[in-house]
Amino acid sequence: MDPPDGLLWAALDRLPVGVFAVDPTGRIVLWNAEAARLTGSPAAKAIGALALDMGIAPADSDRAGQILDRLLAGQAWAGEFPVQGAGGRRAYFHSVPVTDDAGQLVAVVSAFSEADAQRRDETFALLEGLFENAPLGFTYVDTDLRYQRVNTSVAEINGGTVDERIGRTIDDVHGEPCGPQFSAVCREVIRTGEARQVRIEGRLWHGTGPHQVWRMNYYPVFGDDGAVVGVGDVFIDVTDAERATAELVAAADARDYQLTRYQSLVDATSAAVWGRDAEGRIVEDSPSYRAITGQDARTYLADGPLAAVHPADRPQAERTWQEAVAAGELYEHVYRMRTASGEYRHFRVRAVPVRRDDRVAEWIGTETDIEAEVRARTRLELLSRATAAVNRELDTERELQALADALVPDFADVCTIHLIDPLVPGGPVTGRRLAQRVESAVPLPHSDDAFRFADDHPFAQMCRTGQPLLLRHPLQGAQRWADTDELARWEAELHWNTTLLAPILSGGTVVAALAFVSWGDRPGHTEEDLVFVAELATRASAAVEHAQRFQETRRASLTLQKAMLSSPPHVPGVEIEARYQPALADLEVGGDWYDAFVLPGGDIGLVVGDVVGHDLGAAAVMGQLRSMFRGVAMDKAMTPSAAITRLDELAVLLGITDFTTVLYGRLHRGPGGALFTWCSAGHVPPVLVLPDGGHRLLTEGAGLVVGVDPRTPRTDATVRLPPGSTLLISTDGLMERRTADLDDGLELLGTLAEELAHLPLAEFCDGLLARAIGDTGDDVVVLAARLPAG
């Protein structure tokens, strides 16, 4: 190499790294200032001297000679090497051959601190120990496919020695059939810069070795400039374990398949995957979880996933998680979690403990969005609940209020049901609010039940089209829901997100409408919810029509029954009151009846009957029996038992009834006091409340019900009525209880009658109905007579 000219030399001499050149004889021909500083040898001493004499300790001379021989042979070398002088520095060399007639080489040397040296020594020692002692074969070849490093396990696995391989190419060492296979893979790795895993079988040592099978992992080794400088190979001999290997491969494939299926399942179910340590603490990031919640990594690691759980659900979620960790058992829970959009959605968390040596080593969990599933299930439950609530009521307003109560707060924050006035083309939609349920801590603005929506209001549009409507707030364009500034402020303060509207039809005409509102962190309603609301409106339509028909029938029935149940007569010296209370769940008509009349001769007839049934048919039978009995009883010579026997004969003869209870008595007043003579056809006994506060059940005179056998003998019974006493005749609806015997109910009724006996007779009867012992919902008759005090 010719010495550099003045300008080039000035540049080389000022470089911050040492630069020197060596000729083919090993003598230094170039030596800049930094090389002199690093080695402690000035240029005057270095130029012309042998490179091996410049700062090389005797202990390192053999290695230095080997390196120099390699360099002079045309092979590049880079690495750390100790040099003497200038404080005994260690330096890092990078040298390359220069192709010219002289065959010289150029090297760059840079300082290598003690800390660097220590770290590199430790690293080299670790790698060297791993390289030499691993039970796997390790080889390293350069880009010419010459072996540069071979560990002792290679010789143990494949035979031969390390020295038989170093410096020779793969094909030179092994030949056919395996050498070309190894070389082809290495060339592919050098060309692509990508690792390869292959399975190769055959015979080494030019076909003279035993038949073997290897699983080999080839990987590229990159230089400082990013270019591939060689290929590493890690391999194992699987000849004697081919069957086991095949099984392991099959198991690995099955595992990979299951992992792939699991990942696909996770992806398909909108699941996030996370990991925690054995104590249930977060120790690693979960990007998939954060993608759902919108948390950044710092917040996730600092605050944990529970920070995104709804505050109302958080305590139970944390408690159940700690219990699962303590028990080391599967953890499953459902809670609401805030998503990146700010809404809360239902997620199912499922975590399993991963065990090693029978101890929990970590936890792996998934978070799956089940909002759609929860909503679908909720809609079904709410539909069933709302249908049952509506069907329990037969009054339209109570029916619709029950519907609103069944749906708030589980489905919406507000449910309002409006009754619509007949629509006027082109005009506003008017009406009144029938029912409303609001779930809000913020007071609802005052508003009248009457409403008026302009023709272009969404509510009016829904009424005119007869189609359900989903609105997302804030409404777009000129549309506005709130018709007052106060309601607009309320809407903004609560952050309305959606409104659902659905018409209720009767006879094909919109007669009412459902309106649902959700706000705050409740997820907005969806198209599926719109379908649900439409189904609700359909069921409400049927219920409204049923209720309207019922009310019409009830009004007609009440008119009929009131006409048949006349008021008791006003008789001097005796106070008489009567009450009728219809069945709670039916048409407010039934078979219970009473009558009170003055007989020829002055006695007072008192009769109470109970026809089986609670419908218009029972009411009709009751009317026939009542009319017939009054005619029969007017015979002044006919005793109560004879009158009931005659009624029984006529009822059977005419086929009017086959089961009716009747109690009939005659109240006679004479010089010796008042007497009550009665006969009972299967009826509950009367109660006599005595002036001193006690009571007596009049159980005598009992016989068979009317409509079974008119030939059955009947008897009368008589009791003296003291002045100031009260006689009570009723039907079983007043005291019959589902969970108690009738006798117990009668005793309770007697006790209640004693408590109320001090009241005026009208209040006495009202009190009996208000505090009725019976709980069967049956209709009730109360007929009471009171004598003046002596």
Side-chain angles (χ1 to χ4, degrees):
M1 174 180 290
D2 295 329
D5 60 30
L7 181 59
L8 178 57
W9 171 249
L12 290 173
D13 200 42
R14 287 169 173 75
L15 288 174
V17 294
V19 179
F20 67 94
V22 180
D23 65 15
T25 66
R27 293 186 181 278
I28 296 173
V29 296
L30 180 66
W31 192 265
N32 76 346
E34 183 66 11
R37 188 186 69 80
L38 292 172
T39 63
S41 299
K45 179 181 177 182
I47 298 298
L50 291 171
L52 295 178
D53 293 337
M54 299 307 298
I56 306 299
D60 297 318
S61 60
D62 289 343
R63 180 176 174 226
Q66 294 174 2
I67 294 172
L68 184 58
D69 290 343
R70 180 177 300 179
L71 293 172
L72 293 175
Q75 300 179 24
W77 183 84
E80 173 266 330
F81 199 87
V83 296
Q84 291 183 322
R89 288 187 179 89
R90 299 170 68 86
Y92 186 82
F93 290 83
H94 182 81
S95 56
V96 295
V98 176
T99 304
D100 59 11
D101 294 338
Q104 295 170 334
L105 61 90
V106 174
V108 177
V109 59
S110 60
F112 194 77
S113 68
E114 288 300 326
D116 292 335
Q118 182 178 356
R119 286 193 296 272
R120 186 170 293 276
D121 286 348
E122 291 173 351
T123 302
F124 283 167
L126 177 61
L127 293 175
E128 192 69 25
L130 177 63
F131 189 85
E132 290 298 334
N133 298 306
L136 306 173
F138 284 91
T139 67
Y140 170 70
V141 299
D142 59 19
T143 54
D144 292 330
L145 307 189
R146 294 182 182 276
Y147 285 109
Q148 299 297 328
R149 292 297 304 272
V150 177
N151 74 343
T152 55
S153 293
V154 172
E156 295 173 358
I157 295 172
N158 291 337
T161 65
V162 172
D163 291 340
E164 289 179 281
R165 293 172 171 84
I166 296 298
R168 300 176 63 192
T169 66
I170 295 174
D171 288 344
D172 287 344
V173 173
H174 295 299
E176 293 285 353
C178 293
Q181 297 183 63
F182 298 155
S183 297
V185 178
C186 289
R187 290 190 183 95
E188 181 68 14
V189 172
I190 292 170
R191 184 182 68 83
T192 63
E194 298 179 354
R196 292 286 306 277
Q197 183 183 76
V198 296
R199 175 184 176 278
I200 295 177
E201 62 178 304
R203 298 177 184 271
L204 298 179
W205 307 107
H206 297 268
T208 62
H211 183 274
Q212 293 176 268
V213 181
W214 304 271
R215 187 165 296 277
M216 314 187 83
N217 293 271
Y218 289 92
Y219 56 91
V221 177
F222 297 96
D224 292 340
D225 59 357
V228 177
V229 298
V231 178
D233 174 26
V234 181
F235 67 88
I236 58 173
D237 183 334
V238 295
T239 305
D240 296 333
E242 186 69 25
R243 183 184 300 276
T245 301
E247 294 175 355
L248 288 174
V249 171
D253 289 344
R255 178 201 61 193
D256 292 342
Y257 174 70
Q258 292 300 328
L259 288 175
T260 301
R261 290 188 65 198
Y262 174 72
Q263 185 61 49
S264 299
L265 178 62
V266 167
D267 294 340
T269 56
S270 304
V273 182
W274 49 258
R276 302 188 191 180
D277 67 9
E279 284 73 39
R281 297 170 302 197
I282 299 173
V283 293
E284 61 184 30
D285 189 17
S286 173
S288 59
Y289 186 94
R290 292 192 293 102
I292 294 174
T293 64
Q295 295 171 292
D296 56 36
R298 182 190 60 79
T299 303
Y300 174 78
L301 293 172
D303 301 339
L306 285 177
V309 174
H310 194 287
D313 300 344
R314 197 174 300 157
Q316 184 181 15
E318 187 168 11
R319 176 179 56 80
T320 54
W321 169 242
Q322 294 302 329
E323 290 173 353
V325 170
E329 297 175 347
L330 172 70
Y331 175 63
E332 288 187 295
H333 195 66
V334 173
Y335 48 55
R336 290 166 292 170
M337 190 163 67
R338 187 184 62 251
T339 63
S341 66
E343 70 174 1
Y344 281 93
R345 297 177 65 84
H346 285 85
F347 280 77
R348 177 183 291 113
V349 56
R350 189 174 190 272
V352 295
V354 179
R355 299 181 181 276
R356 295 190 184 96
D357 300 327
D358 294 329
R359 298 182 64 181
V360 175
E362 62 178 329
W363 291 80
I364 301 296
T366 61
E367 306 274 350
T368 305
D369 187 334
I370 59 169
E371 182 66 25
E373 174 188 336
V374 170
R375 285 193 172 201
R377 184 172 61 249
T378 300
R379 284 192 291 265
L380 287 175
E381 293 173 353
L382 288 174
L383 188 61
S384 174
R385 186 194 308 172
T387 302
V390 167
N391 290 338
R392 279 195 299 267
E393 300 293 343
L394 292 172
D395 174 80
T396 301
E397 292 195 24
R398 289 203 306 265
E399 177 183 69
L400 296 177
Q401 184 62 54
L403 175 65
D405 292 341
L407 297 171
V408 175
D410 291 340
F411 179 69
D413 295 293
V414 174
C415 175
T416 303
I417 303 175
H418 303 83
L419 184 66
I420 310 297
D421 292 337
L423 298 177
V424 178
V429 173
T430 60
R432 67 184 180 90
R433 185 175 59 222
L434 276 182
Q436 186 174 60
R437 174 70 182 273
V438 180
E439 187 76 10
S440 172
V442 180
L444 177 70
H446 173 74
S447 63
D448 295 331
D449 286 341
F451 65 83
R452 175 188 178 91
F453 290 113
D455 186 55
D456 60 349
H457 192 278
F459 188 92
Q461 296 172 13
M462 178 272 302
C463 291
R464 296 196 185 282
T465 63
Q467 297 298 318
L469 191 62
L470 169 61
L471 304 173
R472 302 189 187 280
H473 296 267
L475 302 183
Q476 301 300 312
Q479 280 192 325
R480 178 181 176 183
W481 177 265
D483 54 0
T484 66
D485 292 339
E486 185 180 12
L487 183 59
R489 286 192 297 270
W490 192 63
E491 176 184 343
E493 183 177 356
L494 291 173
H495 304 289
W496 285 22
N497 51 48
T498 53
T499 297
L500 286 169
L501 303 173
I504 297 176
L505 306 178
S506 178
T509 302
V510 177
V511 297
L514 299 174
F516 298 93
V517 177
S518 69
W519 56 52
D521 56 21
R522 180 193 294 272
H525 290 117
T526 65
E527 295 294 335
E528 290 78 9
D529 293 323
L530 186 63
V531 174
F532 165 72
V533 169
E535 176 62 23
L536 274 178
T538 299
R539 299 196 181 195
S541 297
V544 167
E545 291 181 343
H546 172 69
Q548 290 174 334
R549 290 193 299 270
F550 174 84
Q551 295 300 330
E552 293 172 359
T553 304
R554 180 178 65 175
R555 285 190 292 271
S557 301
L558 286 174
T559 301
L560 171 64
Q561 190 150 26
K562 287 179 180 178
M564 291 188 294
L565 298 177
S566 57
S567 299
H570 296 284
V571 180
V574 179
E575 189 178 2
I576 304 173
E577 289 284 346
R579 297 289 186 273
Y580 174 77
Q581 178 172 283
L584 296 178
D586 292 283
L587 292 172
E588 295 197 2
V589 295
D592 288 13
W593 53 282
Y594 68 86
D595 201 2
F597 43 84
V598 178
L599 293 166
D603 287 356
I604 301 172
L606 301 173
V607 58
V608 172
D610 185 354
V611 177
V612 66
H614 305 98
D615 52 20
L616 287 174
V621 171
M622 174 270 293
Q624 291 178 293
L625 292 177
R626 181 178 182 275
S627 298
M628 286 194 302
F629 190 79
R630 176 175 279 209
V632 169
M634 282 299 173
D635 184 343
K636 66 178 181 180
M638 190 166 288
T639 64
S641 58
I644 290 180
T645 298
R646 183 57 180 156
L647 176 68
D648 198 2
E649 292 171 345
L650 292 173
V652 172
L653 179 65
L654 299 175
I656 296 175
T657 182
D658 55 8
F659 195 99
T660 296
T661 68
V662 179
L663 188 140
Y664 171 56
R666 297 177 62 139
L667 177 59
H668 173 77
R669 295 164 297 163
L675 298 175
F676 180 64
T677 302
W678 77 97
C679 178
S680 173
H683 204 79
V684 292
V687 178
L688 177 62
V689 184
L690 302 173
D692 61 4
H695 75 276
R696 174 186 168 190
L697 294 178
L698 305 181
T699 58
E700 300 85 357
L704 189 65
V705 299
V706 171
V708 176
D709 185 2
R711 297 167 299 180
T712 302
R714 301 183 184 276
T715 59
D716 294 310
T718 301
V719 64
R720 184 174 298 279
L721 304 181
S725 62
T726 301
L727 177 67
L728 170 63
I729 309 172
S730 66
T731 53
D732 55 7
L734 185 64
M735 80 292 294
E736 190 173 34
R737 301 174 63 84
R738 293 184 178 91
T739 58
D741 293 333
L742 183 61
D743 291 343
D744 295 334
L746 286 168
E747 285 299 327
L748 291 173
L749 176 62
T751 302
L752 177 61
E754 289 181 19
E755 294 177 11
L756 301 176
H758 67 283
L759 296 173
L761 191 60
E763 295 181 22
F764 171 81
C765 292
D766 292 338
L768 288 173
L769 293 178
R771 297 173 58 183
I773 305 301
D775 61 3
T776 62
D778 198 359
D779 49 346
V780 176
V781 159
V782 170
L783 180 62
R786 177 176 290 172
L787 299 177

